[in-house]
Amino acid sequence: MSKSSSRSLSRRDFLKRGSMGAVLGFTAHSEATAQAASPASSLSDEAVNCGLIGFGPQGRELAATLARIPEANVAAVCDTYDVMLKRAARSVPDATGHSDYREVLDNQGITTVLVATPTHQHRDIVMDALDAGKHVYVEAPMAATIEDARTMALAAQARPKQIFQVGQKYRLNPLYRDVFQFVRSGAVGRYITARSQWNTKESWRRASPNREREQAINWRLDAGVSLGLIGERGIHQFDTAMWYFGERPKAVTGSGQLVLWDDGRAVPDTIQAIFEYPSGLHHTYNATIASSFDDMYDMFYGSDSTIMMRDKKAWMFKEVDAPVLGWEVYARKDDFYKEKGIALVANATQLDALEQDATYDDPNVESPLWYALKDFMTNHEFGPYPSAAGFQQGYEAVVVAVKANEAIVNNTRVEIGDDLFALG
């Protein structure tokens, strides 16, 4: 039994015991798909040997998270920078170190690779990994261009026996999946609009005594290869809106500014984007690395209620004329200025939900990355089944990211033709 499953009662158990369960019954993606799929090869008694390609900040986070998933074993780490390999030797002492990722792919004992290199380097590594018969987890965005993303998606589509998952982690997050089912139940009424934000104060520039290395590690500041804030950060949030709305944007209006980190870079440090959907819905997105105030959140406004998700939590704010759902009496209420939010607490007992402070992290909830990687490992045991963040979702997100970045850089409106989303 995994660490998370041995914890206190799940949200599903809590909901089953209260009238709220009829509305919000939570079913984890991995459980539902595992029941529907025929096991291809059971690895329940042994860990999956993984090769981690790229040991920068995201690669290190992957390694640290995999260390908390018993079904995973990081057997090899690859990085082209010797300093990172030395760091990997300290962090993952049982893993072999490699400067050439092909050495990892040639190892028949490694069945799975996780790609955490700069985005523009994903294509060649992923294609070689698929050709080598490996299961693949690639960080989001899947690629830096629509052409590369299409090539990768078609290759993954042609190999249904190989697991392919993109790091669009909210699609595997129990909280987001729980709220999605809640929204689908009609509790928010009719969608009105959506708004998201990601604010943090960091320059994105990293120093190195080696000029060549400095240029390499600051690839996000290179407008020639970087999708900027909308691609490297916003992709998770506009992907959530696409999922919740059940639509793909038909156009995006964007703007970008350099307001703080004016150090010669061409990539904006502050951006705005408005995504237009065929149904008439709009999703407004703002992000900056010039201020940390108000952090990150996603808001979905409805005619009966509004949902806010932030800090691994979610709340519902009901309209005064909204119908009574019947389960509110069991839920915790938190004050937000002049509003009272009904807490939608994932994976917690009824007692936890009632006593938990709105400003504290829920100890029962893991990070979004943990849930994504846990599902990836579960797919090895019960799959292969199509991932909720598979090649199609990864490809469509890249299409939107590329077009949104184009709109932001040029301060204009860009249409997104429906034909762009077709792989064939």
Side-chain angles (χ1 to χ4, degrees):
M1 181 178 292
S2 69
K3 296 175 185 176
S4 63
S5 60
S6 63
R7 288 176 172 159
S8 57
L9 292 174
S10 69
R11 177 170 174 77
R12 181 174 58 182
D13 293 327
F14 162 50
L15 296 177
K16 280 182 177 179
R17 295 186 182 195
S19 58
M20 191 175 179
V23 180
L24 285 181
F26 161 65
T27 303
H29 169 68
S30 58
E31 294 176 349
T33 48
Q35 292 172 3
S38 298
S41 60
S42 176
L43 294 172
S44 58
D45 296 328
E46 58 183 89
V48 176
N49 284 328
C50 303
L52 177 56
I53 301 175
F55 205 68
Q58 189 59 30
R60 294 193 292 274
E61 187 175 355
L62 285 170
T65 304
L66 288 169
R68 297 189 289 111
I69 299 177
E71 298 89 343
N73 173 51
V74 179
V77 175
C78 173
D79 199 284
T80 57
Y81 191 41
D82 185 59
V83 173
M84 289 297 101
L85 285 181
K86 291 178 180 178
R87 187 167 184 173
R90 296 192 298 270
S91 302
V92 196
D94 294 332
T96 58
H98 308 268
S99 59
D100 188 338
Y101 73 84
R102 295 173 186 85
E103 295 176 0
V104 178
L105 302 185
D106 289 341
N107 187 336
Q108 297 302 306
I110 293 176
T111 62
T112 299
V113 296
L114 298 96
V115 182
T117 62
T119 302
H120 61 284
Q121 298 175 357
H122 287 177
R123 178 187 179 276
D124 289 347
I125 298 171
V126 168
M127 293 299 290
D128 288 344
L130 289 172
D131 286 343
K134 309 298 184 183
H135 303 299
V136 174
Y137 179 100
V138 58
E139 274 298 335
M142 181 169 135
T145 69
I146 295 174
E147 293 74 16
D148 283 356
R150 181 182 289 114
T151 298
M152 295 160 65
L154 287 172
Q157 184 181 47
R159 296 167 172 83
K161 292 185 178 181
Q162 289 170 242
I163 302 166
F164 186 86
Q165 185 172 323
V166 183
Q168 287 157 224
K169 52 196 175 185
Y170 293 120
R171 287 181 177 262
L172 288 311
N173 188 324
L175 172 64
Y176 280 66
R177 297 185 66 83
D178 193 4
V179 172
F180 173 73
Q181 294 299 331
F182 174 71
V183 170
R184 285 285 297 270
S185 74
V188 299
R190 182 175 178 176
Y191 272 132
I192 303 301
T193 190
R195 178 162 55 92
S196 299
Q197 174 180 291
W198 186 84
N199 291 350
T200 189
K201 194 171 186 178
E202 57 175 313
S203 73
W204 267 18
R205 184 174 293 284
R206 297 161 61 195
S208 173
N210 182 311
R211 179 165 178 76
E212 183 179 349
R213 173 63 182 172
E214 184 175 7
Q215 289 180 329
I217 61 178
N218 288 306
W219 60 272
R220 290 187 298 181
L221 304 181
D222 181 354
V225 298
S226 175
L227 290 178
L229 277 167
I230 195 66
E232 294 300 321
R233 297 301 184 190
I235 192 168
H236 299 290
Q237 292 171 280
F238 73 66
D239 180 56
T240 299
M242 290 166 62
W243 170 29
Y244 276 35
F245 286 167
E247 297 183 87
R248 299 172 303 210
K250 67 174 185 177
V252 55
T253 300
S255 62
Q257 309 84 38
L258 268 172
V259 295
L260 180 62
W261 305 110
D262 190 7
D263 53 8
R265 70 182 68 184
V267 176
D269 60 21
T270 302
I271 64 168
Q272 302 81 34
I274 301 176
F275 299 93
E276 304 170 33
Y277 285 81
S279 64
L281 292 171
H282 283 187
H283 174 217
T284 303
Y285 183 76
N286 294 278
T288 184
I289 53 173
S291 170
S292 297
F293 180 73
D294 215 16
D295 200 20
M296 169 188 168
Y297 61 77
D298 294 288
M299 303 278 287
F300 290 88
Y301 298 80
S303 57
D304 289 339
S305 63
T306 292
I307 301 293
M308 176 172 69
M309 292 179 287
R310 67 186 307 166
D311 299 329
K312 301 181 185 179
K313 297 180 183 180
W315 292 266
M316 178 182 72
F317 302 87
K318 293 188 65 177
E319 296 288 326
V320 293
D321 60 347
V324 176
L325 298 173
W327 51 263
E328 294 95 328
V329 66
Y330 295 100
R332 189 186 74 239
K333 280 78 172 179
D334 297 323
D335 291 326
F336 291 85
Y337 186 48
K338 295 182 179 180
E339 304 290 341
K340 191 171 291 290
I342 299 172
L344 308 176
V345 186
N347 195 31
T349 65
Q350 183 174 4
L351 184 61
D352 288 338
L354 292 173
E355 294 182 347
Q356 190 182 103
D357 190 295
T359 61
Y360 295 158
D361 286 338
D362 184 349
N364 296 292
V365 177
E366 275 283 2
S367 70
L369 180 60
W370 187 94
Y371 289 114
L373 294 178
K374 179 69 174 177
D375 192 88
F376 185 53
M377 292 301 135
T378 299
N379 202 341
H380 284 70
E381 183 172 358
F382 294 101
Y385 52 77
S387 173
F391 63 83
Q392 185 68 45
Q393 293 80 12
Y395 171 69
E396 292 181 0
V398 169
V399 170
V400 177
V402 168
K403 291 302 179 181
N405 188 54
E406 180 183 330
I408 289 165
V409 170
N410 295 302
N411 290 283
T412 190
R413 180 180 182 273
V414 173
E415 293 189 357
I416 309 174
D418 200 52
D419 59 304
L420 280 178
F421 294 105
L423 283 175

